[in-house]
Amino acid sequence: MSENQESLAKLGHENRLFPPSAEFIAQANAQASMYDEAEKDRLAFWEKQAHELQWDAPWTTVLDWKVPFAKWFVGGKINASVNALDRHVAQGRGDRVAFFFEGEPGDTRTITYAQLLTEVKKTANALTELGIKDGDRVAIYMPMIPEAAIAMLACARIGAPHSVVFGGFSADALLSRIQDADAKLVITADGGYRKGAPFALKPAVDDALKGKTNVKNVLVVKRTGQETHWDSNKDVWWHDIVDRQSTEHVAQSFDSEHPLFILYTSGTTAKPKGISHTTGGYLTQVAYTHKMVFDIKPETDVYWCTADVGWVTGHSYVVYGPLINGATQVMYEGTPDTPHKGRIFELIAKYKVSILYTAPTLIRTWMKWGDEFPNAHNLKSLRLLGSVGEPINPEAWMWYREVIGGDRCPIVDTWWQTETGAIMISPLPGVTHTKPGSAMRPLPGISGKVVDDNGKEVGLGHGGYLILDKPWPSMLRGIWGEEERYKETYWSRFDGVYFAGDGAKIDTDAAIWLLGRVDDVMNVSGHRISTTEVESALVSHAAVAEAAVVGAADEMTGQGIVAFVILRGGIPNVCGEELIKELRAHVAKEIGAIAKPRQIVVVQELPKTRSGKIMRRLLKDVAENRAVGDSTTLADPNVMALISQGLSTAKDED
Ligand code: PRX
């Protein structure tokens, strides 16, 4: 943890403290007493949160915990879609806006809870007509349009676990996820809009389905109207089948532990993990955290989480949490700089957004673009700001607070993961005195600690590993189809406690500072990508013999991917730039554009120990332009000098 130690030293000086205003405190949803209440009787606390939902049958046991397998609210029956929609309509909130949708080209749709419910019911009927039953897996590969949320809720309504695959992933990545979950149906769109132009999605689905799958149908939303290859045996237009369905649909109740979704995420190996979540506990914790952390007042707030539904943030804080709480949201399809760099701010002003939840990488990008863009718009409607996905550096935190939040909005820096399902560590606005860059402390009901190599809690002022030592309702229930991998990945580093993979420091005020991953997972713009995954992609190219990938600190994206490759014998590196371009495109094809290395350096040798293990630590030193650390265990001590030379001549690409 040498890098962590360095960060610790830097953080030693942060003593700015931002208490909530008296005005905010007076109206806050969360109270300080919740910490004591949860501490006194954790299970009773979670039971109370679960009672906020509508259950069709009560649970008999709050928690059944056989390490590392948890069941929450055992015996309870519930339907996710009913909680997100029917309940609001039945209680007279049908006319409330659920989504203000803004397409990138500027087209808009306003969808009320009643309208959303009708669409979800019709879609549920269409899925049933297509032969989808409870337990069947459905892959969703969509742009950020209302139908993405509708598709997820329709799946949940009929008990078919969804597996949303981010629209930026490649056909190969989509295929491996379809195969792993053995999906029967793919829901997609002809395409979407991004960076001022339509992009296509359906061709990637067609490509993926050339592989061996059990997919019977592809349900396609017409978004762009672009020409789309059609196989009438398999492909079904959304408007053809959904529009003619009955608007009635009686939702069935499912067991609290019924699988709700699978979401793939990168780990330390090349194969993504199918993180499995179930229903009752997940919904309880996303609703609770959404209400308390974002202080949501559904009658008056306009909430905007900028995440795509392809990531867990889109699942928990666009679809399930906010809709269960009856929130009014903004959903935006496109990129933040289309058609101009003020687009997000223009939308905040247009919809009078009061709560904004976004990622540090975007905040840093805004900082780079300049204050004139936010300053050109009226952002006075904002009253709370959130951050997620990676550590937020104190400078970016301060800028977010001052320039976007007008120095009046509390910031909630929320730490969590695909695996945790919901926010775990975060300030409670109205309670917590925040420090710029710290996620502060575990939420009421959550137990997280910083421990040393032996799993022993470190004292205040020290760094170590972040662990979660008590089960929580929205925790992953496993890795799809890989029980051993589940135990090995999360529960073996420290016996019987969950190890998240992050380094952390707990300061003298017991505030937690996240320090990034301690394993071979990179965090690029808040997205997890494994070094091994990119290495495998590179080695699958005919020209590459060996590859080593590291995440190097990057001012904008948190980390940038730097790859060191050895070419196969006989491949001349004459047309260097051409080849590097090709390799980057190859990684994009294998995984997706987000995994394209920032830099690829062709080397003759990689630094290896005598036992043949690549010393990535040294490569990281080179990639971050640092003096190379201790290399005495290298088999060939000259290798590093050669590599450093190679890097200084390599060029940065887009
Ligand atoms: O390293 C942590 C980082 O993102 C990882 C989880 O990534 P993912 O499963 O894709 O979920 C991202 C959205 C919840 C964590 O292991 N991370 C997430 N939030 C923070 C963070 N690091 C520091 N501070 C955060 N607030």
Side-chain angles (χ1 to χ4, degrees):
M1 306 240 307
S2 62
E3 289 127 44
N4 289 346
Q5 300 306 336
E6 274 170 39
S7 317
L8 295 188
K10 276 187 234 146
L11 294 174
H13 306 292
E14 184 55 76
N15 44 25
R16 287 171 288 193
L17 208 56
F18 294 86
S21 66
E23 213 184 329
F24 199 101
I25 296 171
Q27 58 84 63
N29 288 348
Q31 304 299 324
S33 57
M34 285 165 52
Y35 290 106
D36 282 344
E37 186 192 341
E39 188 65 37
K40 235 191 243 146
D41 190 341
R42 208 169 57 89
L43 295 188
F45 177 82
W46 281 120
E47 233 179 337
K48 183 170 157 193
Q49 309 314 323
H51 276 302
E52 297 282 314
L53 302 181
Q54 180 176 311
W55 295 79
D56 303 321
W59 54 89
T60 50
T61 310
V62 183
L63 169 67
D64 173 352
W65 177 228
K66 295 189 185 73
V67 189
F69 299 101
K71 290 184 185 156
W72 281 87
F73 311 114
V74 185
K77 300 254 187 257
I78 190 163
N79 184 292
S81 153
V82 167
N83 274 275
L85 303 170
D86 305 53
R87 194 159 67 130
H88 301 304
V89 176
Q91 294 170 9
R93 297 187 285 276
D95 290 338
R96 184 182 297 165
V97 173
F99 286 112
F100 288 115
F101 169 73
E102 179 101 5
E104 198 188 74
D107 55 315
T108 60
R109 282 158 75 183
T110 300
I111 305 171
T112 65
Y113 272 86
Q115 288 165 338
L116 192 60
L117 174 58
T118 301
E119 289 312 308
V120 168
K121 285 178 168 177
K122 281 161 48 185
T123 309
N125 286 327
L127 296 182
T128 306
E129 184 181 318
L130 291 171
I132 302 302
K133 299 184 300 301
D134 65 325
D136 288 343
R137 273 82 59 202
V138 175
I140 298 178
Y141 186 64
M142 299 271 260
M144 195 57 185
I145 55 175
E147 283 78 5
I150 293 169
M152 291 164 74
L153 291 162
C155 287
R157 195 169 182 90
I158 63 168
H162 51 71
S163 162
V164 183
V165 180
F166 174 57
F169 278 127
S170 68
D172 291 357
L174 174 63
L175 172 63
S176 66
R177 285 158 176 78
I178 289 174
Q179 288 173 328
D180 190 77
D182 192 16
K184 259 177 99 170
L185 174 75
V186 180
I187 307 181
T188 188
D190 50 357
Y193 293 94
R194 221 186 116 73
K195 297 197 178 175
F199 67 93
L201 276 177
K202 173 73 167 37
V205 178
D206 293 340
D207 262 3
L209 295 184
K210 286 180 190 144
K212 201 177 152 25
T213 72
N214 288 316
V215 171
K216 304 278 177 300
N217 292 106
V218 180
L219 181 56
V220 190
V221 175
K222 188 176 263 185
R223 165 69 184 136
T224 61
Q226 63 199 289
E227 213 172 289
T228 299
H229 173 265
W230 208 250
D231 170 357
S232 48
N233 290 321
K234 195 168 72 247
D235 300 338
V236 187
W237 281 116
W238 176 287
H239 55 263
D240 279 346
I241 188 165
V242 173
D243 289 1
R244 63 172 166 75
Q245 299 293 326
S246 157
T247 54
E248 292 308 316
H249 181 275
V250 181
Q252 226 181 302
S253 312
F254 295 101
D255 198 88
S256 175
E257 283 299 327
H258 187 82
L260 182 63
F261 67 86
I262 305 169
L263 184 59
Y264 287 84
T265 189
S266 295
T268 53
T269 72
K271 185 173 183 263
K273 301 174 286 193
I275 303 303
S276 304
H277 283 284
T278 60
T279 312
Y282 172 81
L283 297 180
T284 297
Q285 195 173 329
V286 295
Y288 154 71
T289 50
H290 182 260
K291 178 171 170 187
M292 299 305 175
V293 174
F294 298 111
D295 193 53
I296 193 85
K297 304 288 189 298
E299 300 80 13
T300 48
D301 275 317
V302 177
Y303 163 89
W304 186 8
C305 164
T306 61
D308 188 280
V309 289
W311 311 109
V312 72
T313 309
H315 284 58
S316 303
Y317 298 107
V318 176
V319 178
Y320 294 107
L323 292 178
I324 289 174
N325 288 333
T328 294
Q329 308 189 59
V330 171
M331 179 190 268
Y332 171 57
E333 177 187 34
T335 43
D337 53 350
T338 308
H340 57 78
K341 294 188 169 83
R343 185 75 190 264
I344 303 284
F345 312 119
E346 185 180 74
L347 293 178
I348 291 172
K350 174 175 174 184
Y351 293 108
K352 300 199 168 46
V353 172
S354 54
I355 301 169
L356 180 70
Y357 190 30
T358 193
T361 187
L362 184 58
I363 298 168
R364 288 191 296 263
T365 305
W366 286 335
M367 278 175 81
K368 185 182 75 177
W369 287 343
D371 296 8
E372 62 267 32
F373 297 101
N375 288 347
H377 300 275
N378 182 351
L379 306 182
K380 292 214 163 56
S381 55
L382 288 170
R383 67 178 194 91
L384 185 137
L385 303 172
S387 170
V388 64
E390 54 173 313
I392 176 164
N393 43 312
E395 299 72 32
W397 195 101
M398 287 305 300
W399 185 89
Y400 197 26
R401 181 175 164 97
E402 285 164 5
V403 180
I404 305 300
D407 234 347
R408 68 181 180 276
C409 306
I411 296 181
V412 287
D413 172 10
T414 63
W415 178 89
W416 58 295
Q417 307 178 296
T418 306
E419 290 88 342
T420 69
I423 298 170
M424 303 293 281
I425 303 179
S426 165
L428 282 179
V431 176
T432 312
H433 295 209
T434 51
K435 298 185 181 193
S438 169
M440 302 307 292
R441 62 183 284 200
L443 290 176
I446 299 300
S447 182
K449 298 193 166 88
V450 182
V451 301
D452 64 18
D453 274 314
N454 302 314
K456 210 173 137 284
E457 213 175 329
V458 301
L460 296 186
H462 292 273
Y465 305 96
L466 177 68
I467 56 114
L468 302 166
D469 60 345
K470 296 204 173 99
W472 62 100
S474 65
M475 67 189 276
L476 77 167
R477 298 303 195 258
I479 300 178
W480 183 258
E482 298 185 281
E483 194 174 305
E484 275 314 306
R485 190 178 178 197
Y486 169 63
K487 291 187 199 159
E488 169 63 30
T489 308
Y490 302 109
W491 304 90
S492 67
R493 177 70 181 80
F494 303 107
D495 200 26
V497 299
Y498 174 89
F499 174 46
D502 283 343
K505 176 200 175 178
I506 183 152
D507 73 12
T508 46
D509 299 322
I512 293 177
W513 298 78
L514 276 309
L515 303 175
R517 308 284 308 183
V518 297
D519 54 16
D520 291 335
V521 175
M522 300 172 285
N523 189 326
V524 182
S525 300
H527 301 313
R528 277 160 65 174
I529 300 165
S530 102
T531 54
T532 329
E533 213 174 346
V534 180
E535 285 166 7
S536 312
L538 285 166
V539 175
S540 73
H541 188 282
V544 178
E546 216 179 331
V549 167
V550 296
D554 186 297
E555 240 177 64
M556 274 309 132
T557 60
Q559 284 192 309
I561 305 177
V562 180
F564 298 84
V565 299
I566 301 180
L567 299 182
R568 272 177 199 275
I571 308 264
N573 185 25
V574 276
C575 45
E577 285 201 19
E578 276 306 300
L579 180 65
I580 282 168
K581 244 195 209 150
E582 196 181 312
L583 292 178
R584 296 178 77 237
H586 182 71
V587 174
K589 180 188 160 290
E590 292 285 309
I591 307 172
I594 47 167
K596 261 198 226 172
R598 179 185 80 184
Q599 249 170 315
I600 297 183
V601 190
V602 175
V603 294
Q604 300 300 321
E605 290 291 343
L606 288 169
K608 288 186 185 162
T609 59
R610 280 174 209 106
S611 63
K613 212 170 159 272
I614 295 175
M615 293 185 73
R616 286 196 181 70
R617 174 171 62 78
L618 301 181
L619 293 174
K620 201 164 161 152
D621 287 342
V622 174
E624 292 180 343
N625 301 319
R626 258 199 310 273
V628 174
D630 182 9
S631 55
T632 46
T633 51
L634 276 181
D636 175 358
N638 296 321
V639 168
M640 287 318 298
L642 288 172
I643 291 178
S644 304
Q645 264 170 28
L647 186 86
S648 60
T649 55
K651 263 186 60 191
D652 252 272
E653 302 231 3
D654 56 35

